[in-house]
Amino acid sequence: MNNKISIHNLCLSIDRQPILKNVSLNIPTNKITVILGPSGCGKTTLLKSLNRLTDLIPGVQQSGEIMLDGVNILNGNQDLVDIRQKMGLLAQRPYPLPMNIYKNITYGLRISGRRNRQFLDKRVEHYLKMVNLWDEVKDRLKDPASALSIGQQQRLCLARGLAVDPEIILADEPTSSLDPISSKLIEEKFLELKSQYTIVLVTHILRQAKRMADYVVFMYLGEVIEQGTPDELFNNPQHPVTKSYLSGQFY
Amino acid sequence: MNTKTEEKFFRMLMFLSTIFIVGVLLLIVVSVLYKGLPSLSFTMLTSIPKGGFYFGEEGGILNAIIGSIYLSLGATFLAFIIGWPIALYMNVYLVKHHTLVNAIRFVFDVLWGVPSIVYGAFGFILMVFLGVRASLLAGIITVSLFIVPIMVRAIDESLKSVPRGLLESALSLGSTRSEISYRIFSREAFQGIITAILLSFGRAIGDAASVLFTTGYTDRIPTSLMEPSATLPLSIFFQLSSPIEAVQDRAYASATVLISMVLVISLLSRFIGNRRN
Amino acid sequence: MKHIRLTRYRKWRNVFHQSWMMIALLAMLFIPLVLVAGLIMKSMLLLENHPLFELLFSSDWSPLSSRFGFLPFIVSSLWITILSLLISAPVCLLTAIHLTQYAKRWVLRIMHPVIDILAGIPSVIFGVWGILVIVPFISHQLGPLFGKSVSGYSILAGAFVLSIMIIPFMLNMLIELIKAVPNELQEASLSLGASKWQTIKLVVVRKALPGIVSSFGLGMSRAFGETIAVLMVVGNVTRIPTGVFQPGYPLPALIANNYGEMLSIPLYDSALMLAALILFLVVLMFNVFSRFLILKAETH
């Protein structure tokens, strides 16, 4: 299996409180990797360390390696903008930028200096269609993005992330604030998108993991307990903690 | 402009702005103390001016120190017995009426912004209307009027953070709302209340515009509420404009005393506020 | 028996406290109305004899011959207020961004008490500082730099002292506002490839913009009503100022300086109360508008 990202011995602490302990794992190319675990186990932190958003946390210390396409991104002299542009982030709740729909989609492009109107128009249409939002918003692209429903906002955020041409999609419980119909839409999109993108999905919903995963990583208290294909992990868990989690003894 | 240079440029400006603020504070404290400390002496602190505060070269500023303490204690006390119950009323009795409480907060916030000279002018018409002279009492009432909004909002902010479940569980134990107010909520918000009192006291002792109209100025230490009284801010304001150096020294000495009191209050309330966290 | 008596006592006490709370609240809400009514009543005497337009736009101020043109005072107040905002607003915004986005935690630990102490320094102390430092600075350094020989007691001195006074007030609000911008919003912008600075400029400041504008409004209203510190350094000359090195005479200073004689000259008291009323109404408008803007931004 071809690995897009491989993590070796990643340790992360905040104010000397360890959050991630010696995490090592591989994220395969053009597959959906699900990071599963109870809340507070460090999965969100792990996800954010992939595009170095963890740099924002005061008092943070990191060690280990995160290899992206064979380059260690924890190495100090990496260009953060390049790394982050390779990865689109979808958060637990949609956070539309304080501007209109059109500008939300084109934000990443305009930031990197693309100003050609026709080019931007085309991109907006393309990506909004990609997330099935075009028909709903095509007449009000100049409305503030906050006027959309939560489900629409989350799809907008996905389109916004895709518009910068990432190779990886990082999704942090992207359906947790959505209604069932919007959740389903997002999940279907992910299954479609995985032919072109490497997707990392953080979730604590076991069913979602089972529906989506090509590769599963189970985390508990900051450590990777077990990882493998869904078949291996769900049907034949090795570790007692994994077993009790899968049998519903804790969430 | 390249955004990296732009960021560097603005970061430099930000750094300079921060330094500027610290620098100005130091400059204020140092320049006042530099002028005031040499004129500070035992006689300065323990005697009243002799031969009139504006012309007499002898004597000190005891009248202003005592006057200011009387005035601020009185006004803070009055504002407290009005403001504390109001804040409790908003947080214990009116919990159901969210919009009303927010409207009340809005009004007090706006009142907080009303300049003290407007209160002073209002106090003055009231005094003329009632036919009373400038006095300690008139000053106390006027100053308390303008610190009540501060008191209410500061106590209110700390009461707001008392968890609502506490109200519910105390009610279900059969407490009356007044018991909940004074025994439970006030205890929970104790440090916030002390900070509010210190904040109000600091405002009261430092304000000149409202006492200018209502408290008058005198060389003597007041012996009753109906007498006029000297205050530190006015002691600075009046005596600084005197052409006589010895009189100006009294102004600088008053400034030193006032700034020291205010610094102590600031540090004290920070100390108390920090202990909460 | 004892139990019942106790219960009755507790209930009675509750009623007593509740009544006092309600009376205090109503009284405090009632007082501003009395205040406005009192000021209006007093200024009516003047308004009956002089049209409001003439009062506001005439620059002839000679109380002894019963001519009351407020224009010099209004213009001075505007000059000083606007100038002080021009000085303090960029300083506050830059510092707030610095403290919330870039500064190390120990810097914040120093700056919080610094801001608190600055906020607690009484107006009259700022005035003393103005006389000791700012006025001589303008007279000896800044004035000659622009080829002017000036006393230093000027619009500029007043504006500078004022700008320092409103810094802690606005800075505290700005820090809270910028802190309130959700972290996730910044993360979203960063993961789209924006640099930190682009994120601050395009997302953080943009998101906090209504709040920023209203905190500037509140700062301005505070500056507009500030009395003693300005009075001490501004020069107090009744003339429409035409430059920042000239002395001015803002409205609060007018009231504070002349209350002593206001009962000995006819209509003078009424004129000063009108000045207080104008002050009150302007500050009220600014306050209501700014706070309304904040509330609207919060609920949005």
Side-chain angles (χ1 to χ4, degrees), chain B:
Chain B
M1 195 168 23
N2 178 324
T3 101
K4 279 227 171 90
T5 21
E6 184 185 305
E7 176 173 22
K8 267 197 190 131
F9 173 72
F10 274 99
R11 280 198 69 173
M12 202 182 66
L13 283 186
M14 288 175 197
F15 179 71
L16 290 177
S17 302
T18 313
I19 294 289
F20 173 77
I21 292 175
V22 180
V24 163
L25 177 67
L26 287 179
L27 188 61
I28 293 172
V29 175
V30 168
S31 63
V32 169
L33 293 187
Y34 178 77
K35 275 297 245 186
L37 279 179
S39 42
L40 218 55
S41 64
F42 186 71
T43 357
M44 184 61 93
L45 293 176
T46 54
S47 59
I48 59 173
K50 295 190 177 64
F53 68 86
Y54 199 73
F55 295 111
E57 302 199 359
E58 299 289 310
I61 54 169
L62 187 67
N63 57 334
I65 297 176
I66 300 287
S68 255
I69 290 176
Y70 281 168
L71 179 93
S72 316
L73 281 181
T76 309
F77 176 73
L78 198 58
F80 180 65
I81 59 170
I82 296 171
W84 183 34
I86 292 179
L88 286 169
Y89 192 62
M90 287 159 65
N91 285 284
V92 178
Y93 287 77
L94 296 179
V95 274
K96 244 181 9 186
H97 310 278
H98 211 68
T99 335
L100 179 64
V101 172
N102 279 337
I104 295 172
R105 285 194 180 120
F106 188 85
V107 171
F108 279 112
D109 278 344
V110 170
L111 286 180
W112 189 336
V114 173
S116 63
I117 191 153
V118 172
Y119 286 101
F122 172 66
F124 189 76
I125 355 180
L126 216 58
M127 278 158 49
V128 173
F129 183 70
L130 298 173
V132 290
R133 282 189 321 132
S135 63
L136 195 53
L137 183 65
I140 287 175
I141 293 174
T142 311
V143 171
S144 70
L145 279 186
F146 95 84
I147 59 174
V148 161
I150 304 174
M151 190 74 92
V152 171
R153 287 295 283 121
I155 297 180
D156 174 44
E157 282 300 317
S158 68
L159 285 175
K160 242 164 66 178
S161 60
V162 177
R164 200 183 158 137
L166 203 58
L167 175 66
E168 284 158 7
S169 45
L171 278 177
S172 40
L173 288 172
S175 316
T176 64
R177 287 196 185 231
S178 76
E179 286 160 355
I180 295 172
S181 300
Y182 290 103
R183 294 209 183 141
I184 300 173
F185 269 59
S186 295
R187 200 164 295 173
E188 282 291 309
F190 182 70
Q191 271 140 343
I193 292 174
I194 299 293
T195 325
I197 291 174
L198 287 172
L199 187 69
S200 308
F201 185 84
R203 264 314 124 81
I205 206 165
D207 193 72
S210 55
V211 290
L212 188 62
F213 293 86
T214 51
T215 323
Y217 199 84
T218 163
D219 288 349
R220 285 176 304 117
I221 294 169
T223 50
S224 92
L225 281 173
M226 301 319 285
E227 284 178 33
S229 165
T231 45
L232 281 168
L234 291 188
S235 157
I236 300 167
F237 181 58
F238 287 145
Q239 299 184 128
L240 197 61
S241 62
S242 162
I244 304 163
E245 216 164 282
V247 177
Q248 283 188 15
D249 279 349
R250 283 208 291 269
Y252 291 125
S254 303
T256 307
V257 172
L258 183 58
I259 205 171
S260 318
M261 284 173 137
V262 169
L263 282 178
V264 168
I265 291 169
S266 283
L267 294 177
L268 207 62
S269 56
R270 177 141 282 273
F271 177 70
I272 290 168
N274 274 351
R275 266 192 8 192
R276 182 172 30 178
N277 304 332

Side-chain angles (χ1 to χ4, degrees), chain A residues 135-207:
Chain A
D135 292 330
E136 293 160 58
V137 302
K138 64 172 182 238
D139 301 322
R140 45 179 182 142
L141 292 173
K142 294 285 181 276
D143 282 8
S146 52
L148 298 173
S149 75
I150 296 286
Q152 288 173 324
Q153 286 183 17
Q154 191 65 314
R155 277 180 283 152
L156 178 77
C157 289
L158 180 59
R160 176 180 75 187
L162 295 176
V164 292
D165 264 337
E167 295 160 15
I168 302 162
I169 298 171
L170 307 175
D172 182 11
E173 307 192 12
T175 59
S176 62
S177 63
L178 303 186
D179 58 280
I181 295 169
S182 310
S183 303
K184 188 155 177 277
L185 253 165
I186 294 278
E187 285 188 8
E188 284 170 2
K189 273 299 140 201
F190 275 17
L191 293 172
E192 261 174 65
L193 290 170
K194 74 175 179 185
S195 58
Q196 302 160 49
Y197 301 92
T198 302
I199 298 175
V200 184
L201 174 67
V202 158
T203 186
H204 66 274
I205 310 166
L206 196 53
R207 286 168 188 283

Side-chain angles (χ1 to χ4, degrees), chain A residues 41-59:
Chain A
C41 70
K43 16 185 228 306
T44 299
T45 312
L46 175 63
L47 190 78
K48 287 184 178 168
S49 67
L50 294 182
N51 69 347
R52 301 254 321 245
L53 283 176
T54 42
D55 288 14
L56 299 185
I57 305 169

Side-chain angles (χ1 to χ4, degrees), chain A residues 18-33:
Chain A
I19 306 293
L20 296 177
K21 302 168 199 161
N22 236 355
V23 170
S24 296
L25 59 91
N26 293 321
I27 293 168
T29 313
N30 291 6
K31 293 275 184 324
I32 297 182
T33 302

Side-chain angles (χ1 to χ4, degrees), chain C residues 123-297:
Chain C
S123 166
V124 67
I125 298 286
F126 280 100
V128 173
W129 173 67
I131 291 176
L132 286 177
V133 179
I134 300 302
V135 169
F137 175 72
I138 292 175
S139 166
H140 301 320
Q141 262 90 38
L142 216 53
L145 199 69
F146 288 88
K148 292 192 171 159
S149 146
V150 286
S151 72
Y153 290 90
S154 57
I155 296 276
L156 187 61
F160 195 74
V161 169
L162 257 187
S163 68
I164 305 299
M165 294 181 70
I166 60 176
I167 279 177
F169 178 67
M170 296 198 304
L171 187 53
N172 265 332
M173 277 188 288
L174 288 176
I175 290 176
E176 290 307 312
L177 277 164
I178 295 180
K179 264 194 195 160
V181 174
N183 250 330
E184 288 83 351
L185 206 55
Q186 301 186 42
E187 290 180 357
S189 166
L190 290 172
S191 33
L192 291 171
S195 70
K196 181 161 186 160
W197 175 242
Q198 285 169 323
T199 302
I200 290 169
K201 223 172 36 169
L202 300 170
V203 175
V204 178
V205 172
R206 181 99 157 240
K207 181 79 183 174
L209 199 60
I212 292 173
V213 171
S214 54
S215 71
F216 289 164
L218 290 173
M220 249 171 105
S221 83
R222 178 130 310 187
F224 197 73
E226 184 45 56
T227 312
I228 294 292
V230 184
L231 164 65
M232 287 165 82
V233 297
V234 83
N236 303 322
V237 175
T238 315
R239 196 179 57 202
I240 294 180
T242 52
V244 292
F245 287 109
Q246 289 184 12
Y249 207 158
L251 280 169
L254 169 74
I255 306 170
N257 258 347
N258 298 295
Y259 78 104
E261 343 165 59
M262 77 180 174
L263 292 179
S264 26
I265 302 170
L267 285 182
Y268 203 18
D269 57 336
S270 183
L272 293 188
M273 289 309 142
L274 180 63
L277 183 65
I278 294 173
L279 212 58
F280 179 78
L281 292 179
V282 169
V283 167
L284 198 70
M285 258 166 40
F286 261 98
N287 257 279
V288 169
F289 179 73
S290 306
R291 295 199 183 275
F292 195 70
L293 203 66
I294 293 189
L295 283 184
K296 239 185 93 183

Side-chain angles (χ1 to χ4, degrees), chain A residues 85 102-103 105-124 127 163-165, chain C residues 198:
Chain A
Q85 232 160 11
Y102 183 91
K103 287 192 167 168
I105 304 282
T106 55
Y107 181 82
L109 296 166
R110 286 181 295 126
I111 285 288
S112 48
R114 312 295 290 267
R115 306 236 167 232
N116 183 317
R117 190 77 202 184
Q118 278 172 331
F119 169 79
L120 293 180
D121 286 351
K122 258 204 245 151
R123 285 294 184 104
V124 169
Y127 287 107
V164 292
D165 264 337
Chain C
Q198 285 169 323

